[in-house]
Amino acid sequence: MSTYPMVFLVGAGPGDPGLLTLAGKDAITSCRVIIYDALANPELLRHAPPSAELIYVGKQANRHTLTQDEINELLVTKWQQQAAFAKVHSPWGNIVRLKGGDPYVFGRGGEEGQYLFAHKVPFQVIPGITSGIAGPAYAGIPVTHRDFTSSVTLITGHQQDSNVAVGLNFDALAKLNGTLVFYMGVKTLPTLATKLIAAGMDGQTPAAIIHRATHPNQKTYRAHLKQLCSADFCAQIAPPAITILGQVAGLSEELNWFEQRPLFGKTVLVTRTRQQAGELSRRLIELGAMVIEAPTIELAPPSDSAAVIQAIGRLSHADMAIFTSVNGVHAAWDYLMQAGRDARALPQRVVAVGPSTAAALRQIGIIADLMPEEFTSDKLSQAIQSHLGDVTGLRVMLLRAQIARPALRTGLEQAGAQVEDVAMYQTRPPSALPAEALTALSEDRISLITFTSASTANNLFNLLPPDLREKVRHLPKLSIGPVTTQALASLGWDAQLTEAAEHDIPGMIAALDRQNQVQE
Ligand code: SAH
């Protein structure tokens, strides 16, 4: 049996995309086909190579849902295709079977492994964090605790023939005096609860049911075993949900860190460039928010790339380079790399406008000589002069966006510098907003919108139909700084507006923090 290609049965973890193992991520990063389920967070597909074939085999509305036999067959067929391809091309055409939680905990991973073995398909298993352990942890429930329980039992509430009585020994479960974790079967909870009580389990045993555990919209229902006998009570809980029974379920208030994060339950619309949404979104997610990204700006090469290539060639003859954005640094770096050059091609003096720009420069090994605190363009030339003294005759290169405000250039020229303004990149609005963002706005699910530049505000306005513009008008908004605030005001969007005191992403997060403290 050849070793490659290989099928990896990978546990995707319970939902939070951070709860994937490093081995799981490696397998996804290098595979050619991913076959994934409804419970595997589709965010994880981001790790896949762009060319990977993504096959969804979960339940789908209006379409035939693949049976387990069909999935087994699909695994083998895909492996055969990749094996044939591997003979001719590269041998690394692995297949990832991505399953929610752990593949071997009520995930039918065992059945798939057996089928693969029977068909002589080489496979490996990469365990995942199961929802029955991670879900409680995210709801403030440790599944074991020395004071309360010394055992955890993982149970499916849904047996193969849908008859919950089959296979479960309720007498034994009731006597365990430990933590019981039920997967699946929210609908069968009343039957389960009734049988457990009949078998002698105390109706007052604390219970917690966690819906969409570890997701930003996780919801925990707290109850006692007796309440679970009520079909009405259970009917309010939608799948997927994990049910915990036992004394530890009563601890949830003290340990409930996840649901107590400041932005938990809030949905934030992040308007940014496609390339740059990352940092702000990540911080918001850390604070508990559900983030919907609405790219309102696309980065594109400048209209005159040849001029940039020439300018980059002259860079080392300049006395000073000024970068006003992370994009400018990245673009300059790309052009330098293409020209086979490196950071030594930069002039002696380098100025970064704003801490994020300075951080981007540090990543290419440059510590900016000056990072003006105040970085609205008009104040910038003054800052440069007060720090660096006389600029008369200085050859300055401004490496920035194609459409940039002239104030910086004119300020420096008036002070006697020779300024070359190089358009490193241009920005343009995308053709449309993602459907997810439009739906969330129209369904009033957005709690806050972030704006990181005047163009994010203007482009969002232009991309929205009038009724949604009106909704935005009434929603809380967070602006990165005065120029952006000005743009919002011109659009009539200045109600419910907070402006960051420091005009960068950490400044925006600090503004949110301050606001939360005021609210508390
Ligand atoms: N292999 C998976 C379980 C698959 S069975 C694992 O290890 O987690 C499917 C059941 O898992 C669901 O019915 C539900 O009970 C549970 N489940 C999976 N993900 C969940 C989540 N994010 N929140 C709550 N329950 C979840």
Side-chain angles (χ1 to χ4, degrees), residues 309 312 334-341:
I309 292 168
I312 290 291
D334 286 347
Y335 280 109
L336 281 173
M337 290 283 107
Q338 278 167 29
R341 304 177 71 190

Side-chain angles (χ1 to χ4, degrees), residues 267-270 284 446-450 475-478 512 515:
T267 303
V268 182
L269 187 68
V270 174
L284 292 166
I446 302 291
S447 334
L448 175 75
I449 311 185
T450 63
L475 279 172
K477 293 170 272 298
L478 177 61
L512 277 183
Q515 217 172 30

Side-chain angles (χ1 to χ4, degrees), residues 381-404:
S381 64
Q382 288 167 21
I384 290 172
Q385 289 167 63
S386 65
H387 278 80
L388 302 180
D390 190 8
V391 295
T392 314
L394 223 60
R395 285 161 301 179
V396 178
M397 271 201 182
L398 286 179
L399 303 166
R400 53 186 193 155
Q402 188 158 325
I403 303 172

Side-chain angles (χ1 to χ4, degrees), residues 13-15 39 99-107 129-132 182-185 210-215 239-243:
L39 284 173
K99 302 168 80 70
D102 180 275
Y104 280 2
V105 179
F106 305 126
I129 302 183
T130 186
S131 55
F182 287 93
Y183 290 68
M184 300 184 262
I210 312 153
H211 164 71
R212 281 189 59 81
T214 80
H215 286 272
I242 277 285
T243 304

